[in-house]
Amino acid sequence: MEFQKLRDCRFDGSGHFKLDGYPTDVHVEKRLKPNFEALTEANTQRMAELQDKLYAEGCEGVVVILQAMDAAGKDSTIKHVMTGLNPQGVTVASFKQPSSEELAHDFLWRAVTKLPRRGCIGLFNRSYYEDVLVVRVHDLQKTYRMPKRVLDTPKDDFFEQRYRQIRDFERYLWENGYRVLKIFLNVSRDEQRRRFLDRIDDEAKNWKFSSSDVAERELWPKYMDAYEQCIDRTATKEAPWYVIPADQKFYARWLVSEAMVRVLEECGPRYPELPAEQRDDLASAREALLAETGGHDDRGERDESELTVALSENS
Ligand code: AMP
Ligand code: MG
């Protein structure tokens, strides 16, 4: 299998989406792992630079959606790829089983409450897409307290409506100054089995495993169908899906970092330029500060020797 570039993982709604055209593994040689780690590291630095500007400018918000089967690497992607970001401009929301409060609302409500401010990045660990994935697989919509006219909607129509509602919602976000980056970490069933075994054998990972994970695994084909349809129906030019081969974590992380850099570059953030009068304010503040030392700029004078003395006093 050839290396995949980010553009090979991208689906923007043109044509028909078939999941089997997207590999879970491109079998990168193990010896190349450090190279990819270095590339990821360089991307995280670039992300930090771009985020600094995004935050300063406060114009555009970015919502990053991570969807995947259990053990595909959502949590570790957040940990590894997002480390360089300034926490002040980042929010993380995990979408678990809805609370009764959440279930009493429309399905997009809880996502709306988790949106970042413009200028910030909101990471969604799972998202409103669960409402067309786990809900579809388990027919949970039948259990909702809703009027008969809604509950009587044939299943396919019900989910077609939800796909449309999601497209409309993402368009609404686009038109309100947000970009939505949607990532599906595409792990194989076999690799999930190995990672579950790790979670069982390694005490430090036990907490991540729940016996229901094995039951969900049994429904793998149904989940893949649900993913395939949902990606097909909700990918758009403004909010494409990235289907990332996730069997090799170092490779998946690199691709996610590529996608992050890309979306931040598309925002094209720039430090705000001060209007002329504020620049004048800066100039007079500068003069006043320098006047305190008789016009002498002493910033370069706190040299190493002072630091050495301070350190030895402390030891
Ligand atoms: P985890 O991400 O492993 O902590 O698990 C969270 C669980 O919550 C997953 O099994 C999700 O499928 C489930 N979940 C998330 N959103 C929903 C939803 N809207 N309805 C039902 N289950 C959900
Ligand atoms: Mg889980």
Side-chain angles (χ1 to χ4, degrees):
M1 184 76 69
E2 286 281 298
F3 271 170
Q4 292 235 319
K5 299 247 171 56
L6 186 64
R7 64 166 178 273
D8 304 318
C9 307
R10 183 180 161 98
F11 178 71
D12 69 2
S14 353
H16 188 52
F17 179 78
K18 292 297 282 175
L19 193 53
D20 61 16
Y22 291 79
T24 59
D25 197 348
V26 292
H27 305 283
V28 179
E29 284 175 59
K30 262 250 168 78
R31 67 179 174 86
L32 295 176
K33 186 176 169 186
N35 303 37
F36 280 97
E37 285 170 344
L39 291 170
T40 306
E41 170 66 26
N43 277 342
T44 57
Q45 281 176 24
R46 178 84 186 117
M47 280 158 57
E49 288 162 23
L50 288 160
Q51 185 214 2
D52 204 48
K53 293 180 184 166
L54 190 85
Y55 187 78
E57 195 176 38
C59 280
E60 190 143 20
V62 177
V63 180
V64 181
I65 290 182
L66 281 172
Q67 280 295 154
M69 297 297 283
D70 281 310
K74 295 185 295 295
D75 294 25
S76 71
T77 299
I78 293 175
K79 192 159 101 184
H80 285 87
V81 182
M82 314 299 173
T83 40
L85 299 176
N86 177 356
Q88 186 144 262
V90 180
T91 55
V92 183
S94 291
F95 290 71
K96 306 279 182 188
Q97 287 194 9
S99 64
S100 53
E101 167 82 351
E102 288 166 346
L103 278 177
H105 289 82
D106 58 289
F107 79 97
L108 289 173
W109 177 79
R110 69 168 169 169
V112 172
T113 66
K114 303 280 165 49
L115 287 174
R117 298 167 177 221
R118 283 187 291 259
C120 295
I121 299 174
L123 300 172
F124 284 8
N125 185 347
R126 305 187 190 267
S127 65
Y128 46 86
Y129 279 99
E130 291 294 321
D131 294 276
V132 291
L133 295 164
V134 64
V135 172
R136 181 172 195 144
V137 167
H138 288 277
D139 271 326
L140 296 177
Q141 75 283 1
K142 289 186 183 157
T143 66
Y144 293 164
R145 190 180 300 191
M146 287 210 277
K148 193 166 163 356
R149 66 180 168 80
V150 178
L151 295 178
D152 283 352
T153 311
K155 181 169 178 178
D156 283 347
D157 295 350
F158 180 85
F159 285 100
E160 286 300 338
Q161 285 174 7
R162 284 202 162 178
Y163 300 137
R164 171 177 47 75
Q165 289 154 5
I166 288 175
R167 288 197 304 272
D168 288 348
F169 177 57
E170 291 176 351
R171 177 147 204 101
Y172 164 88
L173 289 177
W174 170 260
E175 290 171 352
N176 280 273
Y178 288 86
R179 279 174 200 265
V180 186
L181 170 62
K182 305 187 292 199
I183 291 171
F184 172 46
L185 296 176
N186 189 20
V187 78
S188 67
R189 196 168 180 216
D190 230 27
E191 179 61 20
Q192 188 199 53
R193 180 180 50 77
R194 288 188 285 268
R195 291 187 192 172
F196 277 173
L197 284 171
D198 282 347
R199 287 182 176 188
I200 292 166
D201 292 348
D202 179 350
E203 245 177 54
K205 291 183 180 168
N206 280 176
W207 66 276
K208 286 191 176 191
F209 187 78
S210 108
S211 46
S212 68
D213 291 349
V214 175
E216 291 308 291
R217 172 180 167 74
E218 294 307 311
L219 299 166
W220 193 275
K222 286 192 166 184
Y223 270 106
M224 291 305 110
D225 284 350
Y227 267 106
E228 185 170 81
Q229 261 207 27
C230 126
I231 291 171
D232 186 55
R233 303 291 204 280
T234 60
T236 61
K237 292 261 178 317
E238 291 87 24
W241 272 100
Y242 290 93
V243 180
I244 297 212
D247 282 2
Q248 287 181 300
K249 284 192 166 189
F250 68 88
Y251 190 65
R253 283 172 196 160
W254 170 67
L255 281 166
V256 173
S257 74
E258 289 277 295
M260 286 294 296
V261 168
R262 176 175 172 155
V263 76
L264 290 170
E265 277 178 347
E266 283 169 349
C267 293
R270 289 155 53 140
Y271 290 116
E273 248 179 59
L274 290 186
E277 79 198 49
Q278 280 184 37
R279 253 179 295 158
D280 291 348
D281 285 352
L282 281 190
S284 29
R286 184 173 199 281
E287 239 168 70
L289 289 168
L290 284 175
E292 289 181 21
T293 48
H296 174 63
D297 187 345
D298 61 352
R299 278 176 295 180
E301 289 166 18
R302 293 179 62 242
D303 62 16
E304 304 278 315
S305 59
E306 281 178 58
L307 196 62
T308 321
V309 172
L311 284 174
S312 60
E313 276 169 1
N314 275 337
S315 61

